[in-house]
Amino acid sequence: MLNLRDFEVWFVTGSQHLYGPDTLTAVARHSGEIAAALDAATDIPVRVVPKPVLTRPDEILRLVDEANASETCVGLITWMHTFSPARMWISGLDALRKPFLHLHTQFNREIPWSEIDMDFMNLNQAAHGDREFGFIAARMRLERKVVVGHWADTQVQARIGAWTRAAAARRDWETGKVARFGDNMRDVAVTEGDKLEAQRRLGFTVNGFGVGDLVGSIAEAAETQVDALIATYLAEYDVVPELRPGGQRAESLRDGARIELGLRRFLEEGGFTAFTTTFEDLHGLSQLPGLAVQRLMRDGYGFGAEGDWKTAAFVRAMKVMSAGLPGGVSFMEDYTYHLAESGDLILGAHMLEVCESIAAGRPRLEIHPLSIGGKQDPVRLVFDAHAGPAIAASVVDLGQRFRMVAAVVDVVAPEQPLPRLPVARATWRPRPDLATSAGAWIYAGGSHHTSLGYAITPEHLSDFASMCGTELVLIDENARIDELRSTLRWNDVYYSIARGL
């Protein structure tokens, strides 16, 4: 399972020697206290590590080099307790390859009206010290997040926490590996893309493998391992009688268990964080992987169907961002609409591969025919997604750049049971309405595949897109088609020239 405490952000405080050693001692003490409070904050999932107060250009550059080389550091939080002349930050900021957040705060919450003197003023200068630092970041056109407010406020800590989650996902992408079993589904456009540019811009690598490689790994599964996994299925799910030991279709569930064991082994041994399959390339497999994909997603892997490596990577990123939070994240596909007077809805599903982390209750483990793929009937978990606000998001390759498209939705219980639909599914109402949301999505070129996440917020995705240097098109309750089309046109201009700025 994902644990964001494996990552850390470094708390970096700037000052100078102008005010004497006593002031620098106080700065270091205050900096350590703030870092400790942020490290203990419930809303900040990563470790916050205090660093020595920086007062010279060589110190700044040295720390930046250490941060760039660190495997666990996902970014910096910068704060100017006193006035820190910004020219000494130029070399360090120019060399920085990790995201940074500028925390505009001060140690004291209030002005001590009856006691304030010049010693206090010399020490507590963030009001203009951070403006000096902000200028040089703007002058250098650096992407960063600015958070303003007292460091002990829960709202401030929540915004920092959102940024750290995005930074952890960004770091995960930089080291991420996507395995593709088979190629893209034939003639489909949106699931294609430039893998070289994705590695260059987004960080993760994508490599293809023959299905025979996976079949070989499946063949290595021992029967004792299959027995143990069957016992796990029986304990965790409502398994239909025909799949239980001794049932008429029990061997099909054993085949599903072998696929899970082999697929899990292949991903673990290769150090992969996400993967894809396609029903048009199943040579040597007894059935299309369904149950195995659902369970691997539950454990943190990203997934994309039909060779969709971009969605696989995005599912993984959203799982990292939401690690430890309730709600779940799943691969999803917009399937069909409910255009009714009672209110428009979208029914999302896929053939088999919806993650059980979004289930409303205990899933049922069932077996049903699949009209495509030409293989044996596959086993799968069937359930309805739980209700709640969520975001459906995708990454598309526009040729000149990547674009993230995200729609805010409200997942609801289906208006009626779906007894004949043998797949896991989610029903949602897009904001502000289906006509606006779907129209905006289509104008933006969003994929029919998405990553559906409950704990993910627009702030998470905005921070993440900024770190990736990627456009984000957000469709929420304030969306208007005319404004969005205008934004898309301006974005085309901006992203055409931004790389030369």
Side-chain angles (χ1 to χ4, degrees):
M1 300 298 287
L2 299 168
N3 182 8
L4 297 191
R5 292 297 285 183
D6 293 336
F7 297 113
E8 59 191 34
V9 296
W10 293 0
F11 192 82
V12 178
T13 305
S15 186
Q16 61 176 321
H17 288 276
L18 179 65
Y19 311 108
D22 291 343
T23 296
L24 286 177
T25 299
V27 168
R29 184 174 67 252
H30 293 171
S31 176
E33 185 173 333
I34 294 174
L38 297 180
D39 183 61
T42 302
D43 287 326
I44 300 177
V46 306
R47 290 171 290 154
V48 179
V49 178
K51 292 296 177 177
V53 177
L54 302 177
T55 59
R56 299 196 311 268
D58 59 320
E59 294 175 345
I60 295 169
L61 182 57
R62 187 179 308 114
L63 180 134
V64 165
D65 288 340
E66 293 172 358
N68 288 339
S70 172
E71 295 183 358
T72 55
C73 174
V74 299
L76 308 182
I77 298 175
T78 59
W79 173 50
M80 305 301 113
H81 192 326
T82 66
F83 194 83
S84 180
R87 285 177 59 182
M88 70 182 188
W89 287 88
I90 293 175
S91 295
L93 290 176
D94 192 52
L96 183 62
R97 297 295 177 263
K98 298 287 176 78
F100 78 97
L101 178 148
H102 183 185
L103 177 58
H104 184 38
T105 190
Q106 61 186 28
F107 181 74
N108 57 298
R109 183 182 291 274
E110 300 176 350
I111 296 174
W113 301 103
S114 64
E115 300 176 4
I116 188 169
D117 56 17
M118 283 310 301
D119 287 339
F120 183 94
M121 296 280 277
N122 286 336
L123 175 60
N124 298 284
Q125 299 184 54
H128 67 283
D130 276 329
R131 282 171 166 79
E132 167 77 356
F133 182 79
F135 164 75
I136 203 61
R139 173 67 176 80
M140 297 174 69
R141 294 183 173 88
L142 300 176
E143 286 291 337
R144 77 279 194 201
K145 181 173 185 173
V146 178
V147 175
V148 180
H150 194 260
W151 51 272
D153 288 346
T154 55
Q155 304 96 311
V156 169
Q157 293 176 358
R159 294 201 65 205
I160 295 172
W163 176 85
T164 65
R165 288 181 175 277
R170 176 61 180 151
R171 176 58 183 163
D172 186 76
W173 261 15
E174 290 173 343
T175 58
K177 298 172 62 178
V178 180
R180 300 179 81 213
F181 297 106
D183 198 8
N184 198 62
M185 192 171 74
R186 300 180 186 107
D187 291 329
V188 176
V190 75
T191 51
E192 289 282 13
D194 189 337
K195 304 179 191 68
L196 289 178
E197 192 67 6
Q199 182 174 346
R200 179 169 175 250
R201 296 291 176 183
L202 305 179
F204 56 84
T205 60
V206 183
N207 287 290
F209 296 90
V211 178
D213 296 328
L214 176 57
V215 171
S217 182
I218 292 170
E220 295 178 9
E223 290 304 302
T224 54
Q225 294 175 303
V226 174
D227 292 338
L229 192 51
I230 294 294
T232 299
Y233 296 160
L234 294 171
E236 295 185 2
Y237 311 117
D238 292 334
V239 183
V240 296
E242 59 187 328
L243 290 178
R244 301 177 73 86
Q248 293 180 344
R249 311 293 297 277
E251 190 58 34
S252 293
L253 185 57
R254 294 186 69 84
D255 283 344
R258 293 185 187 97
I259 291 173
E260 178 181 341
L261 290 166
L263 182 53
R264 190 180 294 273
R265 178 187 297 110
F266 190 99
L267 297 175
E268 288 176 351
E269 290 180 352
F272 295 103
T273 55
F275 65 102
T276 73
T277 62
T278 171
F279 62 80
E280 288 189 324
D281 194 347
L282 297 174
H283 184 72
L285 292 176
S286 60
Q287 56 184 265
L288 175 65
L291 174 63
V293 174
Q294 292 175 297
R295 287 174 51 83
L296 285 163
M297 266 196 288
R298 179 200 67 178
D299 293 342
Y301 286 96
F303 172 76
E306 291 116 39
D308 190 350
W309 52 271
K310 296 185 297 298
T311 299
F314 210 25
V315 170
R316 168 67 179 191
M318 288 176 65
K319 283 187 174 290
V320 172
M321 278 186 270
S322 62
L325 298 177
V329 173
S330 178
F331 171 77
M332 188 57 66
E333 180 174 84
D334 294 62
Y335 237 104
T336 193
Y337 294 145
H338 183 64
L339 305 175
E341 293 182 0
S342 59
D344 296 341
L345 299 171
I346 297 176
L347 177 63
H350 205 257
M351 293 177 295
L352 304 173
E353 309 97 343
V354 175
C355 179
E356 65 175 284
S357 67
I358 69 170
R362 182 179 169 96
R364 285 176 56 83
L365 180 47
E366 303 179 4
I367 182 169
H368 299 277
L370 190 67
S371 58
I372 53 179
K375 292 293 181 178
Q376 298 174 15
D377 299 344
V379 294
R380 83 290 300 270
L381 300 175
V382 178
F383 55 83
D384 289 307
H386 66 85
I391 287 184
S394 74
V395 179
V396 293
D397 184 348
L398 298 180
Q400 300 81 21
R401 66 183 186 277
F402 293 96
R403 171 183 285 165
M404 298 180 186
V405 186
V408 180
V409 305
D410 293 290
V411 181
V412 298
E415 291 188 355
Q416 298 182 37
L418 299 161
R420 300 184 64 185
L421 185 62
V423 293
R425 59 266 174 161
T427 306
W428 65 82
R429 181 173 291 108
R431 301 183 192 177
D433 53 66
L434 190 149
T436 302
S437 180
W441 189 276
I442 290 171
Y443 274 119
S447 175
H448 60 286
H449 289 164
T450 62
S451 175
L452 181 71
Y454 285 79
I456 297 298
T457 67
E459 186 169 21
H460 290 117
L461 294 183
S462 177
D463 290 343
F464 186 59
S466 175
M467 293 172 189
C468 296
T470 303
E471 177 186 8
L472 173 65
V473 176
L474 178 67
I475 306 166
D476 61 10
E477 57 273 15
N478 300 312
R480 287 181 49 184
I481 293 292
D482 56 345
E483 293 179 353
L484 180 130
R485 296 189 71 187
S486 178
T487 297
L488 294 177
R489 294 187 186 101
W490 281 112
N491 285 1
D492 280 340
V493 175
Y494 170 76
Y495 283 97
S496 294
I497 64 175
R499 293 178 184 177
L501 289 177

